[in-house]
Amino acid sequence: MEGIPLAAYLSLGAVMFAIGALGVVIRRNPIVIFMCIELMLNAANLTFLAFARYHETPLSRIIDPNDTYMTGQMAVIFVMAVAAAEVAIGLGIIMAIFRSREEIDVDKLNLLRG
Amino acid sequence: MSDTNLTPAPIDWMALLPIIGVTATGVIAMIIEMIRPRQTNNAIVWCCLIGLGVSAYFVLANWSRPAEETFGGLFMNDRFGQVTQLLLIGVAFITVLFSEGYLREKRVPFGEYYPLVLWSTVGGMIMVATRDLLILFLGLEVLSIALYVLAGLKSGEKRSQEAALKYFLLGAFASGFMLYGIALIYGATGTTHVTGIGELYALRETLVDRYPFNVLYAGIGMVTVGFAFKAALVPFHMWTPDVYHGAPTSVTGFMAAGSKIAAFAALIRFLDGAMDLSSVWLPVLTVLAVLTMFLGNLVALVQRDAKRILAYSSIAHAGYLLVAVIAYSKAQGMFDVEIGYGTVIYYLLAYGAMTLGSFAVLSLTARGGREGTLLEDFHGLWRRAPFPAAMMLIFMASLAGVPLTGGFVGKLLIFKDAIAVDMLWLALVLAVNSVISVFYYLRIVLAIVVREPDLHPTRFAAVNPGLFAACGICGFLLIWIAVAVDPFMKWISPPEQHAIELRESPPESSVE
């Protein structure tokens, strides 16, 4: 592989994941939190793809490199499908809350505590 | 592995039948929901009960077959997977049994509830029967996404909405961690199968010294964080009390029992694969176990709401289970100690029965769309519903670990295992916590049996046959597994061990 090294992709993935995780912790709007979660999932996707493209591991003697190559790409399709299902459910829940309260700030959702 | 010819590897459909059975039952239940007369859900309930029974039969039909992987290594058919699948089917069965009366009193008589419970079960069954991390993730999401919807089932009630949103956001956050961890493990090993970790470790001598084992460690750590969220281990437990409190009670019961069984079984599968690196993760899990037991029990002491008490108690029980997992893992690295997964399964069964049973009894306060879950709301329950109240005594005794109940024997087994692997101090922590827990279980018992309603008598829902049966089954199971420990342990142990015991036993019988 010429050009961009594996480390560049992995660093981008790690930074995206960190931004996403930080966003979940500090943001208060559920939709933004949800966007941050999507960012985390996509960081994982990018990591999968980068590893799939540069598929030399010490186990390459045991595992067929083509299998390694396919696994990473397949994983991304799976994750995209899962993320789409999560969007459908998540936005449904947020809509239900907005309809009955007219606001969705997570700090104001504090009926349950103790 | 990858022949260039296009004939796929033979697929063992027989091993998949239980999962197919539960999925198909859910689909049929959904169709009945669409075409049924609007008044009752009885047809759906019966369809689900029969379908779950047939699926349990399918599991038993696979029972004596040798352990093997099918679907190109994606699906593991062994005794451990079969037993945990059976447990999950049982949890779904009992949930379906007592839900209908509760949902009607709660004014959420939606037929969609039942397919969602079944599909959530399917997710759990996939999780426990795979050693491939990607499929495990898929199963986890199927389990969780159905539960997010179920937690928000009473969409007009603010508590239920809040529980659904919290569960959803934290659950998705946790699955993000798990997925990133899987990606890192995949990067280090080149496969998503857990056995890759062991194979990589076996090659460590031949590798150039710079090979990034750190990537593998980070991956294992993040996957463990994902599991810790699902299994409600401290410090990843904060969603548990809120979600258990806000969700409809029957859903809480299912969530507490089913999702914990699936999470712990999958955790064992994962740790089995990463066993060579146990010196790295065992200390971390030990710290988590101690924190989980203490926090769960101490915070439960000051709660006033019965559902929250049981939520913290379920956190504490996750701690006990983790001790069993630690003992099991540690014994794998020792030559003179042999500990199977039997203790974990035994405790999961006992935990499932007592938790599900007690939430079934708690669901009796729902009436006419309202539901009070404070301890005061249960005053005088034993007069109104003597049988569930009596069963509740068994459940509480078992949760607290009173002798002659499944909970006691389970704790005893964990205690013995912990001592066998030289972790006496951990066993003592467990014992101390067990004593602490007696106090808050006693408060529930007092509220139900001794206290009388003061001003306005609480009105309870009528006991329906489903709830009667659910309590009865759970209570019977708890007593039965306490009496028949050895036959049960033999029944769930893998067939290979049977073979060894059989070979050893003839000399004894000839002596007699």
Side-chain angles (χ1 to χ4, degrees), chain B residues 56-172:
Chain B
Y57 169 77
F58 287 148
V59 176
L60 293 174
N62 280 318
W63 201 251
S64 52
R65 299 175 57 202
E68 59 180 354
E69 286 199 309
T70 176
F71 256 95
L74 298 186
F75 188 91
M76 180 79 185
N77 182 32
D78 62 354
R79 185 56 63 86
F80 178 76
Q82 287 156 357
V83 175
T84 36
Q85 284 193 339
L86 215 51
L87 286 184
L88 287 166
I89 291 176
V91 167
F93 188 90
I94 292 173
T95 309
V96 170
L97 210 54
F98 80 84
S99 290
E100 181 55 22
Y102 171 75
L103 293 180
R104 236 179 273 164
E105 287 292 352
K106 184 96 175 163
R107 301 279 153 83
V108 277
F110 300 135
E112 293 89 344
Y113 172 88
Y114 299 97
L116 283 171
V117 167
L118 293 191
W119 291 333
S120 184
T121 312
V122 169
M125 288 166 72
I126 295 172
M127 270 174 88
V128 301
T130 183
R131 293 200 295 169
D132 191 284
L133 291 172
L134 197 58
I135 304 300
L136 193 151
F137 175 74
L138 215 58
L140 180 83
E141 287 298 312
V142 173
L143 172 88
S144 313
I145 288 178
L147 278 178
Y148 302 149
V149 182
L150 285 172
L153 193 71
K154 187 149 171 76
S155 55
E157 190 183 75
K158 292 197 169 161
R159 282 200 320 192
S160 185
Q161 293 171 350
E162 199 176 315
L165 185 68
K166 280 183 177 163
Y167 192 30
F168 169 70
L169 288 178
L170 287 170

Side-chain angles (χ1 to χ4, degrees), chain A residues 39-95:
Chain A
L39 204 58
M40 290 165 71
L41 293 182
N42 283 329
N45 272 350
L46 184 65
T47 312
F48 264 119
L49 279 182
F51 279 131
R53 196 76 184 80
Y54 297 74
H55 44 68
E56 276 294 310
T57 75
L59 288 182
S60 295
R61 274 167 280 169
I62 306 170
I63 303 167
D64 189 319
N66 284 327
D67 276 4
T68 304
Y69 184 59
M70 288 312 295
T71 306
Q73 307 221 349
M74 197 180 66
V76 175
I77 306 279
F78 275 61
V79 174
M80 274 160 46
V82 165
E86 278 191 346
V87 171
I89 297 299
L91 291 185
I93 293 172
I94 295 171
M95 276 300 293

